[in-house]
């Protein structure tokens, strides 16, 4: 076991707790850990990370973990890339029938330019029977944060009521990591991922890039979660894509057929910059009921397959109904 006093001064250590530390995650799964001081020595190991700087590196079982912060309470663990890889698996199954009744990965609340309060959005998602979703407000996770708290609160209340043999039925405040029928109130609970829509520039035009499953506390994401469009170099698509990926997230080009350049021009360039996916299934003419536009879908799907990109869907809801765009 290494002597932790020998850790270089510019590295995080038990004596210099940190809020967030990024570590390249592919192909290794990354776990972020909060651990008590008295148990820290059980997990610390040393290595030489990229750029030759020797910092803490910890292992828990066979999974790579990084020290997130040092707590005085007992140890607890959170897998930072579990969400990413779970979402990636979902994206690999998405087709023209996935949205809006099974999955929806593009929606807005009153925290940006939408009309839905987060609580009402969640109720609608449960009533629809969504299996998975992401709230993608522009440059903020305010709506997501409220829904996340509701779900976590419900989970705690449900566990307490079950332990006391009581029936807990408070409608939308429900959360389980994997979507499943809840025996207490027979509602299907959607899995919620972090999401955001970011304005960026690519080949001289303004586009929107969707970020999913990222760590909302990641340093790289902070310029994009301030409630306004990024400026300067942060406005460049390559920076936006990198920031999302550094936060263990997935970057997706939104509605590729809505811009002043064609999808045939944009998607190859976005792929060159390292984007993870494109929003293939999108309703460009705002039909009622919602359905992806056939012509644009065919074009985008072919390009996505050519460049090996993930394909997503979303209603891009700005109005008061999750089943429609407006």
């Amino acid at each position: 076991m290494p002597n932790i006093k020998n850790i270089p001064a510019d590295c995080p250590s038990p004596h210099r707790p940190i809020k967030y530390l990024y570590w390249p995650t592919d192909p290794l799964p990354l776990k972020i850990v909060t651990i008590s001081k008295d148990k820290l020595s059980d997990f610390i190991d040393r290595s030489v990370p990229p750029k030759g700087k020797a910092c803490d590196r910890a292992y828990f079982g066979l999974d790579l973990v990084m020290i997130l912060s040092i707590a005085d309470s007992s140890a607890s663990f959170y897998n930072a890339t579990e969400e990413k890889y779970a979402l990636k698996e979902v994206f690999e199954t998405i087709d023209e029938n996935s949205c809006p009744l099974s999955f929806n990965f593009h929606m807005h609340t009153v925290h940006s330019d939408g009309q839905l309060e987060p609580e009402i959005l969640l109720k609608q998602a449960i009533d629809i029977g969504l299996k998975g979703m992401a709230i993608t407000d522009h440059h903020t996770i305010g709506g997501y944060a409220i829904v996340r708290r509701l779900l976590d609160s419900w989970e705690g209340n449900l566990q307490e009521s079950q332990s006391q043999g009581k029936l807990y039925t408070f409608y939308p405040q429900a959360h389980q990591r994997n979507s499943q029928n809840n025996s207490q109130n027979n509602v299907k609970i959607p899995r919620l991922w972090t999401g955001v829509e970011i304005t960026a520039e690519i080949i001289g035009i303004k586009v929107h890039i969707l970020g999913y499953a990222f760590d909302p506390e990641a340093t790289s994401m902070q310029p994009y979660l301030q409630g306004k469009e990024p400026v300067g170099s942060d406005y460049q698509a390559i920076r936006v894509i990198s920031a999302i990926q550094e936060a263990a997230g997935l970057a997706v080009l939104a509605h590729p057929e809505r811009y002043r350049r064609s999808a045939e021009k944009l998607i190859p360039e976005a792929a060159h910059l390292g984007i993870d996916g494109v929003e293939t299934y999108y309703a460009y003419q705002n039909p009622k009921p919602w359905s992806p536009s056939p012509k644009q879908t065919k074009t985008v799907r072919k390009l996505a397959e050519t460049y090996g990109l993930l394909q997503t869907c979303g209603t891009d809801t700005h109005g008061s109904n999750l089943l429609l765009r407006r």
Side-chain angles (χ1 to χ4, degrees), residues 32-36 66-71 73-78:
I32 290 180
V33 56
T34 299
I35 188 168
S36 60
M66 295 303 297
I67 300 170
L68 175 63
S69 61
I70 309 302
S73 58
S74 60
S76 62
F77 296 91
Y78 171 69

Side-chain angles (χ1 to χ4, degrees), residues 8-23:
D10 57 347
C11 294
S13 81
H15 309 292
R16 292 179 293 280
I18 56 174
K19 296 290 186 181
Y20 175 81
L21 178 60
Y22 170 70
W23 188 273

Side-chain angles (χ1 to χ4, degrees), residues 29-50:
L30 172 67
K31 282 189 176 181
I32 290 180
V33 56
T34 299
I35 188 168
S36 60
K37 291 179 180 179
D38 61 318
K39 295 186 178 181
L40 181 65
S41 61
D42 294 336
F43 300 97
I44 292 290
D45 195 1
R46 293 286 296 281
S47 68
V48 181

Side-chain angles (χ1 to χ4, degrees), residues 44-117:
I44 292 290
D45 195 1
R46 293 286 296 281
S47 68
V48 181
K51 301 181 181 179
K53 186 170 72 171
C55 292
D56 295 355
R57 185 170 175 176
Y59 292 88
F60 183 72
L62 297 177
D63 293 319
L64 177 66
V65 299
M66 295 303 297
I67 300 170
L68 175 63
S69 61
I70 309 302
D72 290 326
S73 58
S74 60
S76 62
F77 296 91
Y78 171 69
N79 192 327
T81 56
E82 176 188 357
E83 299 296 298
K84 170 185 173 180
Y85 289 112
L87 183 57
K88 193 173 181 180
E89 288 181 0
V90 171
F91 283 167
E92 289 170 349
T93 71
I94 295 297
D95 60 26
E96 63 272 12
N97 299 311
S98 298
C99 188
L101 298 180
S102 296
F103 295 97
N104 195 339
F105 297 107
H106 197 165
M107 61 187 75
H108 300 272
T109 75
V110 294
H111 285 261
S112 61
D113 58 348
Q115 297 179 19
L116 284 169
E117 295 286 346

Side-chain angles (χ1 to χ4, degrees), residues 95-156:
D95 60 26
E96 63 272 12
N97 299 311
S98 298
C99 188
L101 298 180
S102 296
F103 295 97
N104 195 339
F105 297 107
H106 197 165
M107 61 187 75
H108 300 272
T109 75
V110 294
H111 285 261
S112 61
D113 58 348
Q115 297 179 19
L116 284 169
E117 295 286 346
E119 297 86 350
I120 302 303
L121 181 148
L122 176 57
K123 183 180 187 303
Q124 287 192 25
I126 292 174
D127 290 343
I128 291 167
L130 285 180
K131 299 176 183 178
M133 59 184 281
I135 298 169
T136 53
D137 280 320
H138 295 274
H139 310 111
T140 179
I141 55 168
Y144 160 82
I146 290 174
V147 172
R148 176 82 278 156
R149 286 196 296 270
L150 287 172
L151 296 177
D152 290 343
S153 174
W154 187 92
E155 182 181 50

Side-chain angles (χ1 to χ4, degrees), residues 182-204:
N182 185 283
S183 59
Q184 289 282 10
N185 52 17
N186 199 32
V187 296
K188 185 177 290 185
I189 308 309
R191 183 163 180 170
L192 176 69
W193 281 274
T194 51
V196 68
E197 188 166 12
I198 302 170
T199 302
E201 181 182 329
I202 185 170
I203 56 175

